[in-house]
Each structure stands twice: as C-alpha cells, then as structure tokens.
Amino acid sequence: MNVSVILFTADLRLHDHPPLRAALDGSRQVVPLFVRDPAVDRAGFAAPNRLAFLADCLRDLDTGLRERGGRLVVRSGDVVEQVLKVVAEADADEVHLAADVSAHARHRETRLRRVLEEQGVRLHVHDTVTTAVPPGALSPAASDHFAVFTPYFRQWSREPIRDTLAAPRAVPVPDGVGSEPLPSRTAVTGLSDGLAPGGEQAGRSRLTAWLRDGITAYEDRHDDLAGDATSRLSPHLHFGTLSPVELVNRARRAGGGAGAEAFVRQLAWRDFHRQVLAARPEAASVDYRTRNDRWRSVPDEVEAWREGRTGYPVVDAAMRQLRHEGWMHNRGRLLTASFLTKTLYVDWRVGARHFLDLLVDGDVANNQLNWQWMAGTGTDSRPNRVLNPVTQAKRYDPDGTYVRRWVPELAHVEGPGVHEPWKLRGLDRAATDYPEPIVELSEGRARFLRGRGMAV
DNA sequence: TGCTTGTTCGA
DNA sequence: CGAACAAGC
C-alpha cells in the first residue's frame, strides 16, 4: 500500500486514534486532512465559540504532527469534493474516517463511500473513536436500541473496552499536498470572553489534573453549582481532543472509587445518547416520544430567558454563565431547560438552538436528547418531572455563592436569601435593579399553566 | 422457538 | 407509566 488519507472530523487528536494507527500500519505515507465545510455553517452549527475552540484544536493538531515530521492539511469546501481532490493529489488508495452518528456525519459517510468506491479507493470507518462502546453494539431483545438508561448502563459496563493506543512517533506526510493557512481564534468575532482554550495539549493537561485532583470527589460534588467540581472535559470530548476510550480506561485505573464510577457513568450517558440518535436520527429535531404538546409562543419570555433576566436568580446565573464562558454547569443546564420547557412551556427546540449557539461543547446527540429528556419528549421515564427553580437553587447553591458570582445586581445580598429576591426588604431591595419574576410559580410551572403541559 | 404475561425499576 | 427482562405457555 501507498498513501492513506485520514479525514479528521470530531477526533482532533493524535493519542488513541484508531484511524491514524490503521493508516500508519498500512501505508508508507499519510495525509492528515481537515475540511472546513460551509454546509456545517449553513446547517447552523458554526457557533463562534466552537469555531474559536476548533481553531485552537487545528493549530495544536498541526503542532503535534510537525513534532512527528508531518503536518496538517486544511482545505475548505464540500467535504467529499475536497477528499477526492486530496486523494488525487496524493495518489492515495485508502481513506480513514471515524464513525459518527449525526445526520451530517452519516450523510458525509454515505456520500464518501459511494464516490470513493467509484474511484477504486477504499473507505475505512473506525468505531471506538468518538464513543467508548459503538452505537448499535448493544440492544435489548425487542428493539434496535435502548430507550432506558439503566439497563443500557448494565450492559455497557460489562462490555470490554479496547486498550488505549499510544500516539505515533512519526507521521510521514508526502510533499506536494498543499494546505490553506490554519484558521485563527483571533479571526473569530462574537465569542465568549471566558472561553476555555482548545487543543489536545490543553485537553490532556485538564484530564491529568482531573484524574489527580477532581475525580475522587466527583460523586459528592458534581451537583454543587458554586463548587464547579465537574471535569469540564465536555468540549474536548465534543472535538475529540480527548478519547472516550482513554477516559474510561484511565478513570477505571484511577482507583475505581465512587467518584471514578460516577464519572464513567456520565461517559456511558454520552454513548447512550449516541446510540439513541444512531437509531433515530430525526430525534435531533423531532419529539422522540411525542406528547402532543402545544408549546407557547412567547418571544419576550424567551428573550428574558436567553438574557438571564427571568427574575429567578439561579436560572439567570446559569444563563449568564453560558453567555460568558460558552459553557454551563450540568445542574444549570437541567434547571434552565426545565424552566423553559416546563415552567414557561416553550418548545425544547428553542432552548436547544440557543444552547447550540453558545456552548463550546454543543453536540447534537447530547444537547438535543438531553433537551428532549427535560422537556418530557425524550427518554425520561417521568416525563412530568418539573424542577422548581427555587428548590433547586436552595439544594444546589445552598449559600447563594453561584448566584452572586453571575448576577452582579444581587452580589450585595448575603446568604441563601439571594434566591428569593422578591422577599428582600429595606436596603437590600432598594440597592438592586434585578427584574421581578416574569411568571409566578405554582408547583414549578407558571401559575396560569397549572394542569397544562400534560399530554392531551 | 416464539409469543404473551408478570415483575421490577426508573438522571 | 412504560421499558426491559424473566418466566411461562
């Protein structure tokens, strides 16, 4: 064999990378390729925060490849056309690609396979690059996929996980295959000021620190909003700068305590959502299990939610964290999603869209299916579950630190009283221009909605 | 072996 | 309340 092209997508790393390993084992030279496809922009998935993080990832990938004697080739245009061009320029006879589940990824794979076969070029699609357990590997007796997490997790836990692959020592890239300049983070406008840095190096440092300092306390502290004791590895999982297989292996070897187990369980949730989306690709935009909701159309309320001015401090704190960091604590994601879909009774697609516009880890499978879960149209076995924002605030931000961090209008209010500003008196009350609640609550839902929001 | 019924359990 | 699995026919 001669030359292989490796099409990098959501797997922007050199460690534990089966396509890269297979290509290097079978070929004299490889072309590491990334294609900036305008179809991704058109589909609305090119949010500034992710474009900036992606620019970091590509630079770091190029750096890693150069340390190994290679380089990254970046092209713009339709992904299939560009792969064909690079295959022709390099006279390649194989293309390697990571399997993925979004409609975009599946369409890309189908088109590539057809066009490459016409040219006599083999397409190799690799599992266990973007998931630890491949979608479709596990299924209950009566269906092609699991719709309930717990039985899925039982099987997932018994599934053998392959060994982590080392990063290659050398990556020989042929001359004469040109690259566009690498995109730069500074060229992206409209990104969050507190955005984390991207790239495999950044991801690996964070992972090492997490396994050393964070994971043991994960079970106890993961829901503590102010404690910020989650891994923050989600952007690296989204862009593939970290490998889910390596994360499972290293977390299990980290001692196997309750923290590590709880963390591995979250990685299983990620695989769970991927196997749902693989079986039901339309669930990215259609109710997985419809309850015939008649969602309200209330632009002013949605705008207040987006801007963090609902008058419910913990909701507003989380929405402002999202805008500032391009990231939100998972407990915040749950309670802000509950507020939009259950309290205001607004279509989950509106919320999912806003999250995808800002989240640096914005991921079709996780984002859409978690939104559906909270909206009651997904895989939740208790679809009527409503998270009361005040109860949630007192439970997960008991002294109000998280709210004071993100809502400066309330920074002067001490203690948990910050969660119910409408009860404040005297100076505390006078000193703030924080908005009144946009709706009054009854059992967590807007008062006038009581009894509605159920299936008809 | 394949289908129906019963039991358990759930971000 | 319904999904998943085990048992029963």
Side-chain angles (χ1 to χ4, degrees):
Chain A
M1 265 172 277
N2 192 13
V3 179
S4 291
V5 170
I6 302 150
L7 179 61
F8 283 89
T9 57
D11 51 348
L12 303 175
R13 63 173 181 266
L14 298 175
H15 291 79
D16 195 55
H17 197 281
L20 182 60
R21 169 61 61 96
L24 287 168
D25 283 349
S27 315
R28 198 165 44 79
Q29 292 178 309
V30 300
V31 182
L33 171 66
F34 184 85
V35 179
R36 306 168 70 190
D37 191 334
V40 176
D41 305 37
R42 282 196 301 273
F45 289 108
N49 286 338
R50 287 196 299 283
L51 287 179
F53 197 93
L54 172 65
D56 293 349
C57 294
L58 296 177
R59 283 193 174 258
D60 192 48
L61 185 59
D62 183 58
T63 303
L65 287 164
R66 284 178 190 277
E67 286 164 6
R68 292 163 175 84
R71 64 202 164 86
L72 180 66
V73 173
V74 176
R75 298 287 176 98
S76 299
D78 174 72
V79 62
V80 175
E81 284 174 25
Q82 294 304 315
V83 169
L84 273 185
K85 266 179 90 170
V86 170
V87 162
E89 287 170 34
D91 193 23
D93 40 29
E94 288 190 344
V95 174
H96 293 265
L97 169 70
D100 208 346
V101 294
S102 69
H104 173 76
R106 291 156 62 113
H107 185 54
R108 173 177 61 207
E109 185 187 319
T110 312
R111 287 179 60 216
L112 268 175
R113 171 161 292 120
R114 190 174 56 233
V115 173
L116 289 172
E117 267 170 18
E118 284 168 13
Q119 308 279 321
V121 176
R122 295 221 338 239
L123 176 68
H124 298 268
V125 178
H126 297 261
D127 276 330
T128 69
V129 185
T130 62
T131 60
V133 172
L138 308 176
S139 61
S143 172
D144 58 347
H145 71 290
F146 279 93
V148 177
F149 176 72
T150 308
Y152 175 77
F153 183 56
R154 265 196 292 275
Q155 281 206 33
W156 186 94
S157 302
R158 283 198 297 261
E159 198 66 6
I161 303 293
R162 66 166 172 80
D163 288 337
T164 306
L165 302 172
R169 284 212 203 92
V171 182
V173 177
D175 296 331
V177 181
S179 173
E180 295 170 9
L182 297 176
S184 151
R185 167 190 276 241
T186 52
V188 182
T189 55
L191 54 143
S192 298
D193 357 313
L195 188 71
E200 185 174 20
Q201 285 313 309
R204 297 192 73 76
S205 316
R206 196 172 266 289
L207 172 61
T208 304
W210 169 247
L211 294 172
R212 191 185 56 223
D213 306 327
I215 197 169
T216 33
Y218 181 70
E219 199 197 13
D220 297 334
R221 298 187 53 211
H222 72 277
D223 264 333
D224 174 7
L225 282 162
D228 198 14
T230 64
S231 73
R232 289 193 179 244
L233 295 177
S234 54
H236 293 290
L237 283 161
H238 175 67
F239 286 96
T241 40
L242 290 176
S243 148
V245 164
E246 181 177 0
L247 260 60
V248 172
N249 285 336
R250 287 179 67 177
R252 282 179 176 163
R253 269 156 222 172
E261 260 174 58
F263 178 67
V264 168
R265 187 182 164 87
Q266 294 307 309
L267 296 170
W269 266 102
R270 189 172 168 280
D271 283 3
F272 173 74
H273 285 140
R274 277 171 161 67
Q275 61 94 45
V276 173
L277 192 64
R280 300 282 181 277
E282 70 281 3
S285 53
V286 176
D287 288 350
Y288 175 76
R289 205 176 282 150
T290 190
R291 309 179 74 227
N292 300 309
D293 291 289
R294 290 157 60 185
W295 308 108
R296 292 163 68 237
S297 171
V298 280
D300 292 354
E301 291 176 17
V302 170
E303 194 53 19
W305 176 82
R306 285 199 190 104
E307 296 304 321
R309 298 191 60 80
T310 66
Y312 288 92
V314 78
V315 172
D316 295 342
M319 295 306 294
R320 295 182 195 190
Q321 179 181 31
L322 171 62
R323 198 171 282 282
H324 180 78
E325 293 191 358
W327 185 88
M328 195 198 288
H329 192 288
N330 184 57
R331 177 50 51 182
R333 299 189 196 202
L334 293 173
L335 68 91
T336 55
S338 171
F339 190 82
L340 188 75
T341 61
K342 297 281 176 60
T343 303
L344 299 181
Y345 200 33
V346 168
D347 194 326
W348 63 267
R349 280 155 283 242
V350 174
R353 176 76 263 161
H354 180 68
F355 272 30
L356 281 183
D357 286 343
L358 287 172
L359 280 174
V360 64
D361 60 34
D363 180 277
V364 175
N366 285 332
N367 189 63
Q368 310 307 91
L369 292 173
N370 273 314
W371 268 94
Q372 292 227 46
W373 186 86
M374 197 67 249
T377 63
T379 56
D380 188 6
S381 51
R382 288 171 51 199
N384 279 316
R385 179 196 320 255
V386 184
L387 307 183
N388 183 309
V390 178
T391 316
Q392 291 276 309
K394 289 175 179 168
R395 191 176 300 155
Y396 300 116
D397 185 29
D399 66 359
T401 306
Y402 181 71
V403 164
R404 282 186 293 277
R405 185 180 303 156
W406 292 108
V407 186
E409 305 98 293
L410 296 171
H412 62 288
V413 181
E414 289 175 16
V418 76
H419 293 312
E420 295 167 288
W422 51 88
K423 291 184 180 168
L424 295 177
R425 313 225 173 275
L427 279 178
D428 274 352
R429 181 85 170 178
T432 183
D433 58 351
Y434 184 70
E436 293 294 320
I438 56 170
V439 288
E440 223 185 310
L441 295 188
S442 168
E443 292 168 10
R445 295 176 194 268
R447 178 165 294 283
F448 53 86
L449 281 174
R450 211 183 150 162
R452 292 211 310 184
M454 309 288 169
V456 284

